[in-house]
Amino acid sequence: MSTASTRLPEGRYGRSSDERADRTLKVVGAVLGAALLAVIGFLGYHYVVQNEISAQVITFDASAHAVKVHLEVHKDAGTDGYCTVRSQAADGSEVGRADFRFTGSATRIDKVVTLRTTAPGTTAELLGCHTG
């Protein structure tokens, strides 16, 4: 008893439809992957290059109704902006938040700012800095 082969002879009729579909999927996947990497790279570059103001809290001193915060701000010359600082109580509730403006041509600013609080604050946290 002989069995009839349902496979086509190798190399005689070109690629099968499954092989063509696999190759198409690989090409589409490679193109989409490259596009995703390009978008991530652009957004990362834009975030790093366009961030014209950066700051950090050096020290802070809390009292009953205020927190004195020593900020060190680095910015581009001529760029105006503000930094947002907040303070929290021991239980984690927010007791104060304020924006502090920085203007002028200096690229490095050391400044002690006073954040008024509604209760004794135990922290001084820099939330971020923005141009404008």
Side-chain angles (χ1 to χ4, degrees):
M1 182 174 227
S2 68
T3 58
S5 174
T6 57
R7 290 185 48 188
L8 298 174
E10 292 287 326
R12 187 166 183 181
Y13 297 104
R15 292 185 173 159
S16 71
S17 63
D18 288 341
E19 289 173 338
R20 282 191 298 272
D22 288 346
R23 186 175 196 295
T24 303
L25 285 175
K26 287 178 185 177
V27 169
V28 168
V31 168
L32 289 176
L36 179 64
L37 284 175
V39 167
I40 290 172
F42 173 76
L43 293 176
Y45 175 80
H46 181 71
Y47 176 77
V48 170
V49 171
Q50 297 299 322
N51 194 6
E52 298 170 343
I53 297 178
S54 66
Q56 62 182 358
V57 173
I58 304 298
T59 60
F60 68 93
D61 182 31
S63 65
H65 297 288
V67 176
K68 290 187 178 188
V69 183
H70 179 188
L71 289 177
E72 181 180 331
V73 180
H74 295 273
K75 64 183 191 67
D76 292 343
T79 300
D80 296 338
Y82 63 95
C83 293
T84 305
V85 179
R86 80 170 175 177
S87 182
Q88 293 177 309
D91 65 357
S93 63
E94 186 175 284
V95 294
R97 178 186 295 238
D99 293 334
F100 298 100
R101 296 203 66 67
F102 298 99
T103 60
S105 61
T107 59
R108 183 177 177 273
I109 300 169
D110 273 334
K111 188 171 184 179
V112 176
V113 295
T114 301
L115 172 63
R116 294 183 186 172
T117 59
T118 57
T122 59
T123 64
E125 180 182 3
L126 177 66
L127 296 179
C129 296
H130 307 281
T131 59

